[in-house]
Amino acid sequence: MSEQKDITILAIESSCDETAASVVVNGRTVLSNEISSQIDIHTLYGGVVPEIASRRHTERINQVIRRAMEEADRSFAQLDAIAVTCGPGLVGALLIGVSAAKALAFGTGLPLIGVHHIEGHISANFIAFPELEPPFACLVVSGGHTHLVRVSDYGEYEILGRTRDDAAGEAFDKVARAIGLGYPGGPKIDQAAKLGNPEAIHFPRGRVADSAYDFTFSGIKSAVLNYLNQMDVKGEAIRVNDVAASFQQAVVDVLVGHAMEAAEQYGFRRLALAGGVASNSALRRQLRAACGECGIDFFCPPPVLCTDNAAMIGSAAYYEYRRGVRSGYDLNAVPNLQLGERVSALRRGGVE
Ligand code: KG4
Ligand code: ZN
């Protein structure tokens, strides 16, 4: 790959509540990584309000793209492609990024590349660890997804396990709301848990009966809600930090347990972590320790590359570009896009 011309990609991400744009060279070198967060506005409602997210993306997207280009000190003439998250995510939110990317691709004549959001999360590891190459295993834990994936090559994924109900991040957000920590739930539970006792309350570590590697988090979440109800009925005050720490420990035990069992069965030598929940301090620490005990190399991007950003989309797009993948102007937002699913007529060997 090294003797080929540099490929510079402008990537756009708007699948949920961050409006983001980034310029990335050869999938690994980030020239700019602009993120406009909507936390302030959604905090007022205790969670992401899709209509408000779409409106805010519309207001911010041009500004964020302009800043990313300025920070990277690149003109459109110096780019090789425009990439954008086309799914999964909130349909209205996705559409803003997809429309902006299509307009830019049409106006500049540059190729357009639609990127799977989870493929982006996994690719954050390529930015953080320039020496990392497939094959490796990846535990993807975000607000909408919990997947244990074997990355057999760039753009080639085999899903070994996935959640049957709530995603890990969703459970964090719901429990945070129930114990009064509010939005965004994951980081607040992470902070509160540092002051609590993870063994104070035992919450069940859910298992799926017919699958070793699928996940279930709804039981843990319900157990926390039941506990809160019981305490309310008894008129006892809850110790928020202990509930946060005990809940977090249950989720971390399940994630680490599944990953290590799969590592043993499949013989993984390398395990990467990805997605917003990958910024959880307890998960990072405990998975690193478990990998260390088993002689597995552990990779985990810095928190800013774990939560939603466009640099990770630019990295994934580079490897799609190298595979000859191009999207047509029929590229659409696909809210429930599956990993590995192709979305547009011109996906492979399409127009340059
Ligand atoms: O990947 P992401 O930014 O967006 C999605 O693709 O969903 O993940 C967001 C999720 C939210 O559920 C948020 O609560 C969770 O990641 N999260 C965390 C932490 N930081 C973000 N969960 C636990 N601990 C954290 N420190
Ligand atoms: Zn995400």
PDB file of all heavy atoms in Angstrom, residues 117 121 142-144 169-170 172-173 185-187 190 275-277 279-280 306-308, ligand 1:
ATOM      1  N   HIS A 117     -21.926   2.859  10.166  1.00  0.00           N
ATOM      2  CA  HIS A 117     -21.479   3.521  11.400  1.00  0.00           C
ATOM      3  C   HIS A 117     -20.617   2.597  12.279  1.00  0.00           C
ATOM      4  O   HIS A 117     -19.614   3.030  12.864  1.00  0.00           O
ATOM      5  CB  HIS A 117     -22.719   3.994  12.164  1.00  0.00           C
ATOM      6  CG  HIS A 117     -22.425   4.754  13.399  1.00  0.00           C
ATOM      7  ND1 HIS A 117     -21.968   6.058  13.391  1.00  0.00           N
ATOM      8  CD2 HIS A 117     -22.503   4.407  14.703  1.00  0.00           C
ATOM      9  CE1 HIS A 117     -21.786   6.462  14.636  1.00  0.00           C
ATOM     10  NE2 HIS A 117     -22.104   5.483  15.453  1.00  0.00           N
ATOM     11  N   HIS A 121     -16.820   2.775  13.859  1.00  0.00           N
ATOM     12  CA  HIS A 121     -16.354   2.584  15.244  1.00  0.00           C
ATOM     13  C   HIS A 121     -15.168   1.610  15.291  1.00  0.00           C
ATOM     14  O   HIS A 121     -14.183   1.851  15.984  1.00  0.00           O
ATOM     15  CB  HIS A 121     -17.488   2.051  16.121  1.00  0.00           C
ATOM     16  CG  HIS A 121     -18.365   3.134  16.677  1.00  0.00           C
ATOM     17  ND1 HIS A 121     -17.880   4.164  17.449  1.00  0.00           N
ATOM     18  CD2 HIS A 121     -19.706   3.341  16.585  1.00  0.00           C
ATOM     19  CE1 HIS A 121     -18.874   4.965  17.804  1.00  0.00           C
ATOM     20  NE2 HIS A 121     -19.992   4.493  17.287  1.00  0.00           N
ATOM     21  N   SER A 142     -21.928   0.298  21.855  1.00  0.00           N
ATOM     22  CA  SER A 142     -22.353   1.687  21.679  1.00  0.00           C
ATOM     23  C   SER A 142     -23.764   1.855  22.231  1.00  0.00           C
ATOM     24  O   SER A 142     -24.295   0.962  22.892  1.00  0.00           O
ATOM     25  CB  SER A 142     -22.282   2.065  20.197  1.00  0.00           C
ATOM     26  OG  SER A 142     -23.353   1.478  19.517  1.00  0.00           O
ATOM     27  N   GLY A 143     -24.354   3.021  21.920  1.00  0.00           N
ATOM     28  CA  GLY A 143     -25.705   3.287  22.416  1.00  0.00           C
ATOM     29  C   GLY A 143     -26.750   2.435  21.718  1.00  0.00           C
ATOM     30  O   GLY A 143     -27.808   2.136  22.281  1.00  0.00           O
ATOM     31  N   GLY A 144     -26.478   2.019  20.495  1.00  0.00           N
ATOM     32  CA  GLY A 144     -27.459   1.248  19.740  1.00  0.00           C
ATOM     33  C   GLY A 144     -27.019  -0.176  19.439  1.00  0.00           C
ATOM     34  O   GLY A 144     -27.829  -0.976  18.954  1.00  0.00           O
ATOM     35  N   GLY A 169     -24.993   0.457  25.880  1.00  0.00           N
ATOM     36  CA  GLY A 169     -25.101   1.903  26.121  1.00  0.00           C
ATOM     37  C   GLY A 169     -26.521   2.317  26.470  1.00  0.00           C
ATOM     38  O   GLY A 169     -26.742   3.206  27.309  1.00  0.00           O
ATOM     39  N   GLU A 170     -27.479   1.646  25.837  1.00  0.00           N
ATOM     40  CA  GLU A 170     -28.900   1.924  26.105  1.00  0.00           C
ATOM     41  C   GLU A 170     -29.212   1.604  27.568  1.00  0.00           C
ATOM     42  O   GLU A 170     -29.922   2.348  28.247  1.00  0.00           O
ATOM     43  CB  GLU A 170     -29.690   0.995  25.178  1.00  0.00           C
ATOM     44  CG  GLU A 170     -31.078   1.371  24.865  1.00  0.00           C
ATOM     45  CD  GLU A 170     -31.651   0.337  23.867  1.00  0.00           C
ATOM     46  OE1 GLU A 170     -30.892  -0.414  23.205  1.00  0.00           O
ATOM     47  OE2 GLU A 170     -32.885   0.284  23.779  1.00  0.00           O
ATOM     48  N   PHE A 172     -27.063   1.610  30.056  1.00  0.00           N
ATOM     49  CA  PHE A 172     -26.430   2.675  30.858  1.00  0.00           C
ATOM     50  C   PHE A 172     -27.346   3.900  30.903  1.00  0.00           C
ATOM     51  O   PHE A 172     -27.566   4.490  31.965  1.00  0.00           O
ATOM     52  CB  PHE A 172     -25.075   3.078  30.249  1.00  0.00           C
ATOM     53  CG  PHE A 172     -23.899   2.323  30.813  1.00  0.00           C
ATOM     54  CD1 PHE A 172     -23.417   1.186  30.192  1.00  0.00           C
ATOM     55  CD2 PHE A 172     -23.278   2.755  31.965  1.00  0.00           C
ATOM     56  CE1 PHE A 172     -22.328   0.489  30.707  1.00  0.00           C
ATOM     57  CE2 PHE A 172     -22.182   2.070  32.489  1.00  0.00           C
ATOM     58  CZ  PHE A 172     -21.714   0.937  31.858  1.00  0.00           C
ATOM     59  N   ASP A 173     -27.861   4.296  29.733  1.00  0.00           N
ATOM     60  CA  ASP A 173     -28.673   5.519  29.659  1.00  0.00           C
ATOM     61  C   ASP A 173     -29.974   5.368  30.440  1.00  0.00           C
ATOM     62  O   ASP A 173     -30.405   6.293  31.149  1.00  0.00           O
ATOM     63  CB  ASP A 173     -28.956   5.874  28.190  1.00  0.00           C
ATOM     64  CG  ASP A 173     -27.675   6.255  27.451  1.00  0.00           C
ATOM     65  OD1 ASP A 173     -26.710   6.677  28.111  1.00  0.00           O
ATOM     66  OD2 ASP A 173     -27.636   6.123  26.220  1.00  0.00           O
ATOM     67  N   GLY A 185     -26.154   9.350  30.029  1.00  0.00           N
ATOM     68  CA  GLY A 185     -26.092   8.415  31.137  1.00  0.00           C
ATOM     69  C   GLY A 185     -24.767   7.712  31.352  1.00  0.00           C
ATOM     70  O   GLY A 185     -24.302   7.581  32.490  1.00  0.00           O
ATOM     71  N   GLY A 186     -24.147   7.245  30.252  1.00  0.00           N
ATOM     72  CA  GLY A 186     -22.925   6.443  30.383  1.00  0.00           C
ATOM     73  C   GLY A 186     -21.827   7.149  31.164  1.00  0.00           C
ATOM     74  O   GLY A 186     -21.347   6.643  32.188  1.00  0.00           O
ATOM     75  N   PRO A 187     -21.429   8.347  30.725  1.00  0.00           N
ATOM     76  CA  PRO A 187     -20.349   9.042  31.438  1.00  0.00           C
ATOM     77  C   PRO A 187     -20.722   9.354  32.892  1.00  0.00           C
ATOM     78  O   PRO A 187     -19.864   9.312  33.776  1.00  0.00           O
ATOM     79  CB  PRO A 187     -20.174  10.354  30.647  1.00  0.00           C
ATOM     80  CG  PRO A 187     -20.802  10.090  29.320  1.00  0.00           C
ATOM     81  CD  PRO A 187     -21.841   9.037  29.507  1.00  0.00           C
ATOM     82  N   ASP A 190     -20.328   6.196  34.907  1.00  0.00           N
ATOM     83  CA  ASP A 190     -18.886   5.960  35.015  1.00  0.00           C
ATOM     84  C   ASP A 190     -18.322   6.792  36.185  1.00  0.00           C
ATOM     85  O   ASP A 190     -17.592   6.266  37.053  1.00  0.00           O
ATOM     86  CB  ASP A 190     -18.236   6.385  33.681  1.00  0.00           C
ATOM     87  CG  ASP A 190     -16.824   5.863  33.479  1.00  0.00           C
ATOM     88  OD1 ASP A 190     -16.224   5.377  34.457  1.00  0.00           O
ATOM     89  OD2 ASP A 190     -16.307   5.955  32.347  1.00  0.00           O
ATOM     90  N   GLY A 275     -16.702   1.842  20.101  1.00  0.00           N
ATOM     91  CA  GLY A 275     -18.043   2.355  20.412  1.00  0.00           C
ATOM     92  C   GLY A 275     -18.025   3.229  21.658  1.00  0.00           C
ATOM     93  O   GLY A 275     -17.067   3.198  22.445  1.00  0.00           O
ATOM     94  N   GLY A 276     -19.091   4.011  21.841  1.00  0.00           N
ATOM     95  CA  GLY A 276     -19.149   4.975  22.946  1.00  0.00           C
ATOM     96  C   GLY A 276     -18.880   4.368  24.315  1.00  0.00           C
ATOM     97  O   GLY A 276     -18.192   4.968  25.147  1.00  0.00           O
ATOM     98  N   VAL A 277     -19.407   3.164  24.575  1.00  0.00           N
ATOM     99  CA  VAL A 277     -19.225   2.535  25.891  1.00  0.00           C
ATOM    100  C   VAL A 277     -17.762   2.102  26.102  1.00  0.00           C
ATOM    101  O   VAL A 277     -17.324   1.875  27.227  1.00  0.00           O
ATOM    102  CB  VAL A 277     -20.207   1.343  26.071  1.00  0.00           C
ATOM    103  CG1 VAL A 277     -20.094   0.722  27.451  1.00  0.00           C
ATOM    104  CG2 VAL A 277     -21.643   1.796  25.830  1.00  0.00           C
ATOM    105  N   SER A 279     -15.461   3.972  26.057  1.00  0.00           N
ATOM    106  CA  SER A 279     -14.778   4.997  26.876  1.00  0.00           C
ATOM    107  C   SER A 279     -15.014   4.755  28.364  1.00  0.00           C
ATOM    108  O   SER A 279     -14.474   5.499  29.191  1.00  0.00           O
ATOM    109  CB  SER A 279     -15.185   6.413  26.464  1.00  0.00           C
ATOM    110  OG  SER A 279     -16.504   6.481  26.069  1.00  0.00           O
ATOM    111  N   ASN A 280     -15.788   3.750  28.720  1.00  0.00           N
ATOM    112  CA  ASN A 280     -16.025   3.455  30.145  1.00  0.00           C
ATOM    113  C   ASN A 280     -14.731   2.994  30.825  1.00  0.00           C
ATOM    114  O   ASN A 280     -14.101   2.028  30.399  1.00  0.00           O
ATOM    115  CB  ASN A 280     -17.109   2.376  30.272  1.00  0.00           C
ATOM    116  CG  ASN A 280     -17.441   2.094  31.719  1.00  0.00           C
ATOM    117  OD1 ASN A 280     -16.874   1.202  32.326  1.00  0.00           O
ATOM    118  ND2 ASN A 280     -18.344   2.872  32.279  1.00  0.00           N
ATOM    119  N   CYS A 306     -13.704   6.963  20.592  1.00  0.00           N
ATOM    120  CA  CYS A 306     -14.691   5.908  20.895  1.00  0.00           C
ATOM    121  C   CYS A 306     -16.110   6.425  20.682  1.00  0.00           C
ATOM    122  O   CYS A 306     -16.953   5.751  20.091  1.00  0.00           O
ATOM    123  CB  CYS A 306     -14.549   5.437  22.345  1.00  0.00           C
ATOM    124  SG  CYS A 306     -13.049   4.499  22.655  1.00  0.00           S
ATOM    125  N   THR A 307     -16.390   7.636  21.195  1.00  0.00           N
ATOM    126  CA  THR A 307     -17.724   8.205  20.982  1.00  0.00           C
ATOM    127  C   THR A 307     -17.800   8.719  19.544  1.00  0.00           C
ATOM    128  O   THR A 307     -16.793   8.790  18.846  1.00  0.00           O
ATOM    129  CB  THR A 307     -18.005   9.319  22.012  1.00  0.00           C
ATOM    130  OG1 THR A 307     -16.857  10.154  22.098  1.00  0.00           O
ATOM    131  CG2 THR A 307     -18.289   8.743  23.382  1.00  0.00           C
ATOM    132  N   ASP A 308     -19.012   9.086  19.101  1.00  0.00           N
ATOM    133  CA  ASP A 308     -19.207   9.381  17.683  1.00  0.00           C
ATOM    134  C   ASP A 308     -18.293  10.505  17.181  1.00  0.00           C
ATOM    135  O   ASP A 308     -18.187  11.556  17.817  1.00  0.00           O
ATOM    136  CB  ASP A 308     -20.678   9.739  17.423  1.00  0.00           C
ATOM    137  CG  ASP A 308     -21.564   8.508  17.518  1.00  0.00           C
ATOM    138  OD1 ASP A 308     -21.026   7.385  17.553  1.00  0.00           O
ATOM    139  OD2 ASP A 308     -22.798   8.682  17.542  1.00  0.00           O
TER     140      ASP A 308
HETATM  141  O1  KG4 B   1     -21.013   5.216  19.920  1.00  0.00           O
HETATM  142  P1  KG4 B   1     -21.825   6.263  20.565  1.00  0.00           P
HETATM  143  O2  KG4 B   1     -21.190   7.621  20.774  1.00  0.00           O
HETATM  144  O3  KG4 B   1     -23.159   6.472  19.789  1.00  0.00           O
HETATM  145  C1  KG4 B   1     -23.832   5.384  19.202  1.00  0.00           C
HETATM  146  O4  KG4 B   1     -23.410   4.953  18.121  1.00  0.00           O
HETATM  147  O5  KG4 B   1     -24.765   4.898  19.874  1.00  0.00           O
HETATM  148  O6  KG4 B   1     -22.290   5.663  21.947  1.00  0.00           O
HETATM  149  C2  KG4 B   1     -23.106   6.389  22.810  1.00  0.00           C
HETATM  150  C3  KG4 B   1     -23.323   5.547  24.033  1.00  0.00           C
HETATM  151  C4  KG4 B   1     -24.350   6.157  24.978  1.00  0.00           C
HETATM  152  O7  KG4 B   1     -25.253   5.145  25.352  1.00  0.00           O
HETATM  153  C5  KG4 B   1     -23.500   6.619  26.134  1.00  0.00           C
HETATM  154  O8  KG4 B   1     -24.196   6.607  27.362  1.00  0.00           O
HETATM  155  C6  KG4 B   1     -22.387   5.588  26.116  1.00  0.00           C
HETATM  156  O9  KG4 B   1     -22.097   5.413  24.755  1.00  0.00           O
HETATM  157  N1  KG4 B   1     -21.181   6.065  26.808  1.00  0.00           N
HETATM  158  C7  KG4 B   1     -20.686   5.475  27.930  1.00  0.00           C
HETATM  159  C8  KG4 B   1     -19.581   6.254  28.333  1.00  0.00           C
HETATM  160  N2  KG4 B   1     -19.420   7.274  27.432  1.00  0.00           N
HETATM  161  C9  KG4 B   1     -20.420   7.133  26.501  1.00  0.00           C
HETATM  162  N3  KG4 B   1     -21.116   4.399  28.591  1.00  0.00           N
HETATM  163  C10 KG4 B   1     -20.425   4.051  29.702  1.00  0.00           C
HETATM  164  N4  KG4 B   1     -19.366   4.757  30.164  1.00  0.00           N
HETATM  165  C11 KG4 B   1     -18.894   5.845  29.522  1.00  0.00           C
HETATM  166  N5  KG4 B   1     -17.844   6.520  29.986  1.00  0.00           N
END
